[in-house]
């Protein structure tokens, strides 16, 4: 699948899932897919400053493909929003990161965050993490959207390990 680039039209939230499905069609490499998903999320979601992946490696979440400022490289399971979402195997939406005990501030500009675990056969593979410089940026609809993206990712990559 060839995706047209260099157009002036900006993706909108309604374009995210179809764009991700199209770019992953026939592509099973987990890193390539994660990189394209991060780019589509970063372009398609307004008012965000970071979108990307962390993958579980030996009990830690290790930075994967992302769009945004330099990020934390490793996060322990159960630590911060990412580690908590991974440990709980549950999506976490944080309206104000300053109110989340143990929040790890990779970018001081971030004010709200959503983290969705990437699950295959009941096992956590990693998380999709999105930050915004605005308080209460993410809604339950965003949680469903990113959960759908995580499902598409797992389906496209099959048994391949990121």
């Amino acid at each position: 699948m060839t995706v047209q680039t260099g157009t002036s039209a900006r993706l909108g939230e309604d374009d995210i899932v179809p764009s991700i499905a199209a770019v992953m069609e026939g592509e099973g490499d987990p890193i390539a897919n994660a990189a394209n998903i991060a780019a589509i999320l970063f372009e398609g979601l307004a008012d965000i400053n970071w979108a990307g992946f962390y993958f579980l490696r030996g009990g830690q979440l290790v930075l994967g493909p992302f769009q945004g400022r330099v990020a934390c490289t490793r996060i322990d399971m159960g630590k911060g929003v990412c580690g908590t979402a991974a440990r709980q195997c549950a999506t976490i939406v944080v309206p104000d990161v300053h109110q989340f005990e143990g929040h790890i501030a990779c970018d001081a500009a971030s004010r709200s965050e959503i983290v969705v675990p990437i699950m295959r056969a009941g096992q956590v593979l990693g998380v999709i993490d999105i930050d915004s410089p605005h308080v209460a940026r993410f809604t339950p609809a965003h949680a469903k959207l990113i959960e759908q993206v995580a499902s598409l990712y797992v389906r496209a990559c099959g048994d391949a390990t990121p």
Side-chain angles (χ1 to χ4, degrees):
M1 159 83 193
T2 302
V3 176
Q4 185 176 6
T5 58
T7 62
S8 60
R10 179 176 167 81
L11 284 176
E13 286 188 19
D14 292 341
D15 301 317
I16 289 172
V17 168
S19 295
I20 288 171
V23 79
M24 289 193 307
E25 186 178 326
E27 179 55 66
D29 185 87
I31 299 302
N33 284 333
N36 277 327
I37 289 171
I40 290 168
L41 291 172
F42 197 75
E43 183 180 346
L45 292 170
D47 300 321
I48 67 168
N49 59 325
W50 202 91
F53 288 74
Y54 282 90
F55 294 115
L56 188 58
R57 300 276 187 273
Q60 288 186 312
L61 294 168
V62 179
L63 182 64
F66 71 93
Q67 298 280 312
R69 297 184 68 132
V70 172
C72 301
T73 304
R74 294 178 181 272
I75 299 172
D76 289 331
M77 288 292 282
K79 302 294 183 187
V81 181
C82 289
T84 301
R87 166 84 27 102
Q88 294 177 358
C89 301
T91 297
I92 298 180
V93 177
V94 180
D96 184 349
V97 296
H98 297 299
Q99 302 303 313
F100 188 92
E101 188 174 332
H103 174 255
I104 300 168
C106 296
D107 180 350
S110 294
R111 292 297 311 273
S112 61
E113 185 170 4
I114 183 170
V115 179
V116 173
I118 302 165
M119 306 284 298
R120 181 174 60 214
Q123 299 295 314
V124 174
L125 302 177
V127 298
I128 299 173
D129 179 22
I130 305 171
D131 296 353
S132 172
H134 302 285
V135 172
R137 165 64 181 92
F138 304 107
T139 66
H142 290 112
K144 287 183 177 151
L145 172 70
I146 306 308
E147 288 167 353
Q148 188 175 3
V149 169
S151 263
L152 285 169
Y153 174 78
V154 170
R155 244 189 332 257
C157 297
D159 291 334
T161 304

